[in-house]
């Protein structure tokens, strides 16, 4: 996210990329490989909000599937969404990479101390 200004009335937004690469090991008649992508809660006890931490200090944030910040990207529970898609291969293609945008937001006007805030979110790909 970069530097967060707790006095700003504007949320701190960022976009990132998630690349999913599917590799065919043998050439069989598999041309479409469906998969889902789920994100963990990170260090939070819930998906809304997720929390960035600097020691005992907490800064709320979230990761969204859409640019309008309406769909919290999670594991499909508690009103969150997962990504469902498929990798499509042609005859002799051995690898396919699909890119997806993640949208992060830190809500405005959170009274927090200065520090290096971090969280670890696990990406689970099921195919």
């Amino acid at each position: 996210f970069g530097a967060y200004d707790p006095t700003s009335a504007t949320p701190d937004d960022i976009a990132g990329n998630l690349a999913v690469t599917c590799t065919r090991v043998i050439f069989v008649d598999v041309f479409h490989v469906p998969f889902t992508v789920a994100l963990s809660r990170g260090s939070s006890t819930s998906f809304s909000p997720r929390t960035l931490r600097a020691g005992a200090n907490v800064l709320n944030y979230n990761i969204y599937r859409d640019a309008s910040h309406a769909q919290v990207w999670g594991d499909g529970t508690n009103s969150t969404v997962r990504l469902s898609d498929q990798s499509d291969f042609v005859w002799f293609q051995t690898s396919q990479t699909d890119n997806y945008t993640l949208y992060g937001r830190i809500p405005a006007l959170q009274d927090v101390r200065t520090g290096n805030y971090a969280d670890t979110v696990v990406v689970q790909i099921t195919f």
Side-chain angles (χ1 to χ4, degrees):
F1 284 100
Y4 175 75
D5 180 358
T7 64
S8 174
T10 305
D12 190 0
D13 291 336
I14 191 169
N17 184 65
L18 173 68
V20 176
T21 301
C22 187
T23 303
R24 286 172 45 179
V25 178
I26 57 174
F27 292 104
V28 294
D29 290 334
V30 178
F31 295 103
H32 309 288
V33 179
F35 61 88
T36 60
V37 179
L39 302 183
S40 74
R41 292 179 178 97
S43 64
S44 179
T45 58
S46 70
F47 284 105
S48 189
R50 285 183 168 100
T51 52
L52 296 163
R53 298 183 183 274
N57 301 309
V58 174
L59 181 61
N60 294 329
Y61 81 104
N62 224 323
I63 302 169
Y64 299 88
R65 180 72 190 99
D66 61 321
S68 62
H69 304 98
Q71 300 174 330
V72 174
W73 197 337
D75 64 3
T77 64
N78 301 318
S79 299
T80 66
V81 297
R82 293 182 303 179
L83 168 73
S84 294
D85 203 356
Q86 67 182 20
S87 281
D88 297 314
F89 293 89
V90 294
W91 278 100
F92 294 104
Q93 183 181 10
T94 58
S95 182
Q96 172 66 32
T97 298
D98 298 292
N99 292 289
Y100 304 95
T101 304
L102 301 96
Y103 301 92
R105 172 171 277 181
I106 300 175
L109 302 173
Q110 295 185 63
D111 187 17
V112 294
R113 293 179 181 255
T114 301
N116 292 319
Y117 289 78
D119 194 16
T120 300
V121 175
V122 176
V123 177
Q124 179 181 8
I125 302 172
T126 306
F127 60 96

